[in-house]
Amino acid sequence: MASNLWSEDQFSCPVCLELLKDPVAIPCGHSYCMGCIKNCWDQTDHTGVYSCPQCSETFTPRPVLRRNTMLAEVVEKLKKTGLNPPPAQSYAGPGDVPCDFCTGRKFKAVKSCLTCLASYCETHVKPHSEVTPLKRHKLINAIGDLEQKLCAEHQRVLEVFCRTDQMCICWLCTQNEHKSHDTVSAEAERSVKQKQLGETQTEIQQRIQERLKDVEELKQAVGSLKSSACIEIKEREKIFTELIRSIEKIHTEVIELIGANEKAAVNQAEGRMKKLEQEIAELRRRNAELKQLSETEDHIHFLQNFQSLCAPLEAGDLPSVTVNTDISFEAVRKAVSELKDHIEDFCKGELVKITTTVNEVAVYSLQAPEPRNRAEFLKSKEKCEEEMKDQPRRRRSNEMDRPNMNEVAVYSLQAPEPRNRAEFLKYSCQLTLDPNTVHRNLCLSEGNRKVTWRRETQRYPDHSERFDSWPQGLCREGLSGICCYWEIEWSGGSPDIGLTYKGISRKGGDRSCRLGFNDKSWSLSCSDSSYTAQHNNNETAITAPHYPRIGVYLDFNAGTLSFYGVSDTMTLLHRFQTTFTEPLYPGFRLWVYDSTVTICQLN
């Protein structure tokens, strides 16, 4: 019968945790596989001191190992006859509740006794179903931390719930410090709470159905948007193709006009040259006759022909010619250049209008849920009034100008997008860089509002939040729940301007630490001729003029982050649309020696 109570742990090697192979017993009495203990001692041969891996007793010289024949026979017999507990049981692993009565390597507990305050495996729980006194104990599925089921003061089982103090207590507590309190059995309170739990579950299920409906409507809206966008793109392609053809036609007409003008002028000049050459030939012929007459010795011949040959020259048929030596099409060039500038300026202005119109297209808008009772109505009204008190710059919607309990309490969470710089400045906020975050090649100045990339390493102290590879830094201020606007001036080449959650990685040169190249940050990379919007390794190329000043507008609740080129007008460069779940920290990356980024003072 004793063999039936043996467990595999009793015949397992403490080193490999398997059944003993060629078992040996060392002088301290502990047993090991011969191969396992030999390997352990081979590693300490150079010290000349050998110890037991279990009790650490040392031996000098190295003990001679001999196979324990009796133990080997017992192990072989157990392999054939089987071990107890049955092999269906599994050992307790991470997250499992171990049996309190197993010795050595513990099996996974299947039941916990609230009377014994202990947990049992399949083998050790059997007495609770076989021994009469134990049958009255309360067994539940195995749970850990049974000590939490005891009263800390009386060490009795927690069986009563005090509604006055909203806590579990034991029966002795009801006779002392909770004597006059409203107390019920834990089972009775559970039934009440169970009903509340059911109501909560019903509400959650209802919420799930509402959200599923929202998801389906969003899917349909997205599909409709994609279809509309596709149709619109095709239609716009037709219009722009016609526009390009019109420009190409003007181009062709101008070229043809210049060619026709050239041909007419050349033909006119060549006609004039031909008549001039004919006149020259006639004059040369007459000059030859006069020369011949002047050389004759016949006086009568001279006198007879003098009158006809020396008659006055007739006025030429051709007027005198004034040649234009400075021939050019400068006027044409100027006119075409003015046409180009006019078209570009017109297109730029129209593009701003088109961009504004396109950005107004949204799949959804966020609204607070309609209050379902007077308590929720008052809570919604109170929250709205508090937001208006804390944010006087936020424009109130018409519905909330004069809050009244009789008015509808649904209000938009999205502030209207500012239309010009003056309106953006109403949301301006003050930011400063955090010296504990900036890379050691970044030098701070102007009250920590300006950062410059230097070759010299700055003497910043070690800090867990400092970027150690990417030349980046973050601001101290975390932004959430409001609309904010700030402006950045940059020079020197290719900075990244962005925002990030605080959990962005700071250590190492992996791209996941860089602003815009992970799911925790959004950024705009600037250069002299283009821009790139970046988020989670997705990049969007943007063609726009050079803007040394960039405006950043964050509407946290609406989930929009917009970057603008700041000049006489506000030019939208890119807008991110998402859902922000944590406070956002503005940040910057510099890469070029002596490049700078400055947070502008707007007030």
Side-chain angles (χ1 to χ4, degrees):
M1 293 294 292
S3 62
N4 290 334
L5 298 179
W6 287 340
S7 70
E8 186 177 335
D9 288 344
Q10 294 172 283
F11 302 98
S12 297
C13 172
V15 176
C16 67
L17 302 179
E18 302 290 341
L19 280 176
L20 291 164
K21 306 179 193 67
D22 293 331
V24 295
I26 62 176
C28 63
H30 290 113
S31 299
Y32 299 91
C33 298
M34 182 176 290
C36 292
I37 194 63
K38 283 180 67 176
N39 288 337
C40 289
W41 286 352
D42 286 346
Q43 296 175 17
T44 59
D45 259 342
H46 63 284
T47 65
V49 178
Y50 308 91
S51 62
C52 172
Q54 281 189 277
C55 66
S56 301
E57 184 176 344
T58 58
F59 317 106
T60 305
R62 177 171 177 166
V64 178
L65 298 175
R66 291 186 177 86
R67 188 169 185 267
N68 188 325
T69 306
M70 181 180 295
L71 187 56
E73 291 177 355
V74 172
V75 171
E76 288 301 320
K77 183 177 180 181
L78 287 174
K79 284 182 180 179
K80 295 177 181 179
T81 60
L83 299 173
N84 191 46
Q89 293 199 94
S90 58
Y91 290 109
D96 293 330
V97 179
C99 175
D100 291 324
F101 285 83
C102 285
T103 58
R105 190 175 179 185
K106 296 180 178 292
F107 282 99
K108 179 180 177 181
V110 294
K111 294 291 181 180
S112 294
C113 178
L114 296 181
T115 307
C116 303
L117 289 177
S119 298
Y120 302 92
C121 63
E122 289 282 4
T123 299
H124 293 114
V125 78
K126 287 183 179 179
H128 277 74
S129 61
E130 298 172 353
V131 179
T132 301
L134 296 181
K135 290 180 179 179
R136 291 191 292 270
H137 289 191
K138 188 173 182 178
L139 293 177
I140 61 172
N141 290 332
I143 59 172
D145 299 327
L146 284 170
E147 293 79 6
Q148 294 184 3
K149 306 298 184 293
L150 288 178
C151 173
E153 183 175 351
H154 304 110
Q155 294 301 304
R156 294 294 187 91
V157 177
L158 299 173
E159 299 178 279
V160 180
F161 185 80
C162 176
R163 289 176 172 172
T164 305
D165 293 333
Q166 289 293 300
M167 61 184 296
C168 294
I169 59 176
C170 69
W171 282 110
L172 287 179
C173 291
T174 63
Q175 307 301 317
N176 298 299
E177 58 269 26
H178 296 269
K179 184 175 181 179
S180 60
H181 291 183
D182 180 11
T183 59
V184 293
S185 68
E187 185 176 357
E189 185 64 18
R190 165 68 185 270
S191 64
V192 174
K193 292 290 193 290
Q194 188 75 33
K195 183 179 179 181
Q196 295 177 1
L197 186 146
E199 294 173 352
T200 303
Q201 285 181 307
T202 302
E203 184 178 350
I204 289 174
Q205 291 296 328
Q206 182 180 353
R207 184 73 60 84
I208 290 173
Q209 294 303 316
E210 292 173 355
R211 292 297 179 253
L212 287 173
K213 182 181 177 182
D214 291 342
V215 169
E216 187 60 33
E217 291 177 351
L218 278 173
K219 285 181 179 178
Q220 294 178 3
V222 168
S224 176
L225 176 64
K226 288 182 177 180
S227 177
S228 299
C230 184
I231 295 172
E232 192 65 24
I233 288 172
K234 290 180 179 179
E235 292 297 323
R236 292 325 105 199
E237 283 180 348
K238 291 180 182 178
I239 293 176
F240 279 104
T241 300
E242 293 174 1
L243 178 60
I244 292 170
R245 286 175 181 170
S246 298
I247 294 175
E248 288 176 344
K249 183 179 179 182
I250 294 173
H251 175 222
T252 301
E253 290 177 353
V254 170
I255 297 301
E256 290 177 351
L257 179 63
I258 293 173
N261 181 274
E262 173 199 10
K263 185 177 180 180
V266 169
N267 289 339
Q268 186 179 17
E270 287 178 346
R272 177 65 63 182
M273 285 190 293
K274 185 176 180 180
K275 290 182 179 180
L276 289 172
E277 287 173 352
Q278 290 174 351
E279 184 176 345
I280 290 170
E282 179 63 26
L283 290 172
R284 283 176 177 171
R285 182 191 62 76
R286 188 172 179 182
N287 186 55
E289 290 177 351
L290 289 173
K291 181 180 180 183
Q292 185 180 4
L293 181 64
S294 68
E295 293 176 353
T296 185
E297 295 179 358
D298 187 346
H299 301 305
I300 298 301
H301 177 74
F302 179 87
L303 293 173
Q304 288 176 339
N305 292 283
F306 174 80
Q307 189 67 27
S308 60
L309 293 177
C310 290
L313 295 174
E314 296 179 2
D317 294 334
L318 299 177
S320 60
V321 177
T322 301
V323 179
N324 181 10
T325 59
D326 186 20
I327 299 175
S328 72
F329 287 91
E330 180 63 30
V332 177
R333 184 183 305 118
K334 182 178 179 182
V336 172
S337 179
E338 289 176 352
L339 175 62
K340 168 182 168 293
D341 293 341
H342 177 72
I343 291 176
E344 286 182 348
D345 291 342
F346 177 78
C347 289
K348 187 182 295 184
E350 292 303 308
L351 180 60
V352 172
K353 295 179 184 178
I354 292 170
T355 301
T356 302
T357 304
V358 171
N359 288 337
E360 289 175 354
V361 177
V363 175
Y364 66 91
S365 60
L366 297 177
Q367 285 189 328
E370 181 80 27
R372 291 166 294 183
N373 50 51
R374 188 172 184 273
E376 290 188 2
F377 186 96
L378 292 174
K379 183 178 180 181
S380 175
K381 176 176 177 287
E382 181 181 348
K383 178 180 178 182
C384 184
E385 291 176 341
E386 189 66 28
E387 286 185 357
M388 291 182 177
K389 183 190 300 181
D390 293 340
Q391 302 176 46
R393 293 174 180 169
R394 185 187 293 274
R395 291 197 298 274
R396 299 183 180 187
S397 64
N398 293 333
E399 293 78 12
M400 301 305 296
D401 277 340
R402 294 176 298 278
N404 188 297
M405 285 185 57
N406 296 321
E407 295 177 355
V408 178
V410 177
Y411 61 95
S412 173
L413 294 177
Q414 182 172 356
E417 184 84 6
R419 293 166 295 182
N420 52 53
R421 189 165 181 267
E423 291 187 2
F424 277 106
L425 291 176
K426 293 179 181 179
Y427 299 95
S428 63
C429 60
Q430 298 298 324
L431 301 174
T432 54
L433 283 155
D434 185 351
N436 291 329
T437 66
V438 296
H439 186 269
R440 284 192 168 90
N441 283 109
L442 300 182
C443 177
L444 297 180
S445 58
E446 296 184 11
N448 293 343
R449 291 186 301 102
K450 181 176 181 180
V451 57
T452 307
W453 196 94
R454 298 295 191 198
R455 289 198 178 110
E456 304 83 11
T457 301
Q458 307 301 307
R459 295 183 178 179
Y460 297 128
D462 291 337
H463 200 283
S464 60
E465 295 186 357
R466 189 175 309 287
F467 290 96
D468 64 358
S469 293
W470 288 97
Q472 300 179 150
L474 304 181
C475 290
R476 295 179 183 273
E477 296 78 11
L479 309 176
S480 65
I482 59 174
C483 297
C484 297
Y485 176 76
W486 62 99
E487 292 180 354
I488 306 299
E489 284 190 346
W490 64 276
S491 64
S494 303
D496 288 350
I497 302 170
L499 289 92
T500 179
Y501 294 145
K502 196 167 187 177
I504 187 173
S505 298
R506 317 293 178 98
K507 309 302 179 185
D510 189 87
R511 278 164 63 96
S512 63
C513 298
R514 179 179 167 183
L515 289 172
F517 284 82
N518 49 69
D519 60 358
K520 295 180 176 62
S521 61
W522 298 258
S523 72
L524 181 75
S525 181
C526 308
S527 70
D528 289 336
S529 58
S530 64
Y531 304 84
T532 304
Q534 299 154 156
H535 171 63
N536 201 18
N537 280 320
N538 294 320
E539 300 182 64
T540 303
I542 303 163
T543 302
H546 172 68
Y547 291 101
R549 179 176 282 220
I550 302 295
V552 186
Y553 177 70
L554 169 67
D555 188 336
F556 188 94
N557 291 333
T560 60
L561 172 61
S562 308
F563 294 90
Y564 290 85
V566 181
S567 58
D568 294 336
T569 59
M570 301 290 289
T571 302
L572 178 65
L573 300 175
H574 188 77
R575 175 179 287 116
F576 292 102
Q577 180 72 57
T578 184
T579 300
F580 299 119
T581 58
E582 303 175 31
L584 291 164
Y585 292 81
F588 311 98
R589 181 193 71 94
L590 286 78
W591 196 248
V592 179
Y593 172 63
D594 269 351
S595 59
T596 65
V597 165
T598 304
I599 303 171
C600 304
Q601 285 187 320
L602 300 180
N603 294 330

